[in-house]
Amino acid sequence: MSGWIFGKSEMSPEPTVDVQLAIFDAGMIGQKERFCHDVKHLAMLGHDHREALSMCKYSAMSAKVTVVLVPGAWHGAWCFERVIAALSSRGIAAVAIDRPGHGNSTSPRSDLFGDAECVRFAIDAIDGDVVLVGHSYGGCVISVAGHDHPAVRHLVYLTAFVPMETESAMDLVLSTPGELSGEDVLVVDDTFTAVVNERFVGPVFYGDCSAEDQSEAAAQLQPQNMISLTQAPGVAAWASTPSTFVVCTLDKAIVPELQHRMAERTTHTVEIEASHSPFWSQPDAVADVLANVVNSL
């Protein structure tokens, strides 16, 4: 990954109505389609997209505490569907967010700051307190989105980057390299957009998943704008908000040594014997951690 040094991008468009939110709550699985349809319908009637979201607050968004789940690079809200089901069975409201250009979002791919604005926009539409969860690159996103937001009570870094104000995800990766380099795992085109080499998707992301689960997840991965991984956040929500780091001891993407070092920046640390994607392989273990956080508030 030598030579991957880039300055701050200006790619931070205002979120559009195409930003997709997966809305779930106990007893309300399946509301995603209705919510997204209603937001788009209101927008077509001339309502501002922020107003449209505020007019679509179902009871799923009126819980005392809502878990907001932010996927990492290449992933969309789909990756949290098993965790959301597990949280639902525990009576906990949850929202998984498609970053622009990922999952069901038809918006253009953005950068770190556009992704963070998308998340902050979603938090603004939620009544009550929020536990903000980021996986992998999503840790950078929540470090920006959760900064000084009055609704965010706790941050959870799920084997995620916990950057200082001047650190990018790439800086952190290069500080503690693993067995494989980015040049092995990623295929980067001339627009600095990357896909994951299909040979490494299973071993690096889903090492403790069945072959069937690996294939199901791999089929849903989408290209990632790599500029996001080179941008320093400028703020650090974890410096002023209670936080938990979830170390995944079998992770080959963000090695445990780096995870433990970043975990020292957070308030609490827990461990799961899992690969880089515990939301897919061990959703109940992830849900247990999040439920403990919610119940402690």
Side-chain angles (χ1 to χ4, degrees):
M1 289 187 285
S2 59
W4 290 6
I5 302 173
F6 290 80
K8 178 177 178 180
S9 169
E10 297 302 319
M11 299 170 56
S12 301
E14 181 76 4
T16 71
V17 75
D18 286 324
V19 171
Q20 301 286 307
L21 305 181
I23 306 301
F24 297 87
D25 187 23
M28 292 194 68
I29 299 295
Q31 290 298 315
K32 173 184 175 182
E33 291 78 12
R34 179 183 171 191
F35 178 83
C36 294
H37 170 78
D38 286 357
V39 171
K40 290 182 179 180
H41 179 65
L42 286 166
M44 286 188 289
L45 291 176
H47 293 286
D48 174 80
H49 64 278
R50 292 179 186 274
E51 181 184 359
L53 267 181
S54 70
M55 295 172 68
C56 294
K57 293 179 182 175
Y58 296 107
S59 59
M61 304 186 77
S62 301
K64 180 180 178 182
V65 180
T66 300
V67 176
V68 176
L69 300 150
V70 181
W74 299 284
H75 290 70
W78 60 266
C79 73
F80 285 115
E81 61 187 26
R82 298 176 181 183
V83 172
I84 288 169
L87 288 172
S88 177
S89 71
R90 292 160 173 77
I92 296 174
V95 179
I97 299 176
D98 276 332
R99 295 179 293 104
H102 293 82
N104 292 324
S105 171
T106 57
S107 298
R109 287 187 292 271
S110 188
D111 66 353
L112 170 59
F113 303 102
D115 289 347
E117 177 64 14
C118 170
V119 173
R120 200 170 176 96
F121 168 41
I123 295 171
D124 289 341
I126 294 173
D127 290 331
D129 294 331
V130 164
V131 171
L132 186 57
V133 183
H135 170 252
S136 196
Y137 159 69
C140 296
V141 178
I142 70 171
S143 293
V144 178
H147 179 66
D148 283 344
H149 197 295
V152 177
R153 294 284 306 282
H154 200 100
L155 303 165
V156 178
Y157 291 86
L158 181 60
T159 184
F161 295 112
V162 187
M164 300 285 284
E165 292 89 338
T166 58
E167 284 180 319
S168 69
M170 195 71 71
D171 292 332
L172 289 165
V173 169
L174 294 176
S175 72
T176 314
E179 298 176 11
L180 298 170
S181 71
E183 293 169 339
D184 295 323
V185 176
L186 303 180
V187 180
V188 185
D189 67 17
D190 292 340
T191 68
F192 204 47
T193 300
V195 296
V196 183
N197 187 324
E198 61 183 23
R199 291 176 48 219
F200 295 104
V201 171
V204 174
F205 285 170
Y206 313 108
D208 58 340
C209 295
S210 67
E212 181 180 359
D213 278 352
Q214 288 184 6
S215 297
E216 182 181 353
Q220 299 181 77
L221 299 181
Q222 294 168 298
Q224 172 68 37
N225 178 11
M226 290 298 290
I227 194 69
S228 304
L229 303 184
T230 70
Q231 293 173 309
V235 294
W238 53 265
S240 56
T241 302
S243 56
T244 296
F245 194 100
V246 183
V247 174
C248 293
T249 60
L250 305 179
D251 196 339
K252 294 184 181 299
I254 302 178
V255 294
E257 179 185 353
L258 175 56
Q259 291 182 64
H260 282 291
R261 183 158 59 84
M262 294 188 293
E264 294 177 358
R265 300 174 177 177
T266 64
T267 315
H268 308 285
T269 303
V270 297
E271 290 192 3
I272 297 176
E273 188 175 351
S275 68
H276 188 61
S277 303
F279 48 76
W280 208 241
S281 63
Q282 299 189 46
D284 281 310
V286 176
D288 283 342
V289 172
L290 298 180
N292 285 338
V293 171
V294 169
N295 293 332
S296 72
L297 298 178

